[in-house]
Amino acid sequence: MPKLIDHEGRQQEIAEAVWRVIRRDGVSAVSVREVAAEAGLSSGSLRHVFASKAELLAYSMQLVHVRARERIIAHVSITDPRSRALAILEEVLPLDETRQCEMEVNLALVSEVPGHPTLRTIALDAHNALRAACALALDGLSRNGLFDSARSVEDEALRLHALIDGLAMHLVLGDNDSSEVAAKTLAAHIDGLA
């Protein structure tokens, strides 16, 4: 009887191998051969899953966004609007090893956007999804009297998005900002919108 292969599981294992290569050696080190070795596969086996390096990079970037989105969705049911907003927004900050890994990989792959139109599309989709998450969080605050009605949700979503991007970059660069400081900064910003 032939061995059944979990195709999606295999894709994710390979993408995680891409992430390890990127974090260790940078995007320029990513090749079918290098990733196959990292994943413990032959190059031929890897090519059965991903036909090209471009497909491999695109899936690896997409997986970062899928996992963040899954974590965000898990917080939508939080009933307290402030807690819900913070839980959702903290999922895109590199506050732990998992999110640090994802942010480092995402930033490395964003640097490849000029040569890869598919990566550009994936990056823009993620960018727009983060802006929408900011607006959704602020809308939830607004509907519950935790957002100054003289402010524009759209304008504040842009500012919040920029703050999150900036905090994420500070954390990735390790400029002595701790995860705790970043989380407190985000909470202070949210509280200041009331």
Side-chain angles (χ1 to χ4, degrees):
M1 179 175 234
K3 183 178 176 183
L4 294 175
I5 296 175
D6 173 9
H7 189 67
E8 185 176 330
R10 176 64 58 94
Q11 286 177 315
Q12 291 183 20
E13 288 172 10
I14 293 169
E16 289 168 357
V18 171
W19 296 358
R20 290 190 299 274
V21 171
I22 288 172
R23 289 186 83 196
R24 184 181 62 236
D25 303 318
V27 177
S28 61
V30 174
S31 67
V32 170
R33 179 181 296 162
E34 184 67 27
V35 172
E38 182 69 29
L41 301 170
S42 69
S43 295
S45 293
L46 190 144
R47 285 194 188 279
H48 282 296
V49 181
F50 296 104
S52 67
K53 177 181 173 181
E55 282 183 23
L56 189 57
L57 292 177
Y59 182 86
S60 297
M61 182 184 231
Q62 187 69 45
L63 185 60
V64 167
H65 304 155
V66 165
R67 288 191 176 169
R69 184 172 39 251
E70 287 171 352
R71 290 193 310 269
I72 287 168
I73 289 168
H75 299 305
V76 171
S77 62
I78 296 172
T79 55
D80 176 67
R82 181 184 180 274
S83 297
R84 180 178 54 244
L86 290 173
I88 287 170
L89 297 170
E90 286 176 356
E91 285 301 344
V92 294
L93 287 175
L95 299 174
D96 60 23
E97 176 58 27
T98 297
R99 291 176 281 180
Q100 179 79 20
C101 172
E102 291 171 352
M103 185 60 67
E104 288 175 7
V105 168
N106 188 60
L107 288 173
L109 291 171
V110 164
S111 73
E112 296 295 305
V113 160
H116 295 277
T118 303
L119 291 181
R120 176 181 297 282
T121 300
I122 295 167
L124 285 173
D125 287 348
H127 173 82
N128 293 332
L130 177 54
R131 179 73 50 80
C134 290
L136 185 65
L138 296 180
D139 185 58
L141 295 173
S142 179
R143 284 185 281 110
N144 288 278
L146 300 172
F147 183 87
D148 182 354
S149 61
R151 297 177 186 265
S152 159
V153 168
E154 185 177 309
D155 291 346
E156 292 302 331
L158 174 63
R159 288 183 187 93
L160 180 56
H161 187 171
L163 175 65
I164 289 169
D165 283 349
L167 288 172
M169 185 62 71
H170 287 254
L171 289 168
V172 166
L173 293 176
D175 71 351
N176 298 322
D177 283 345
S178 71
S179 298
E180 185 177 312
V181 169
K184 283 182 180 180
T185 301
L186 177 60
H189 180 79
I190 292 295
D191 292 341
L193 296 173

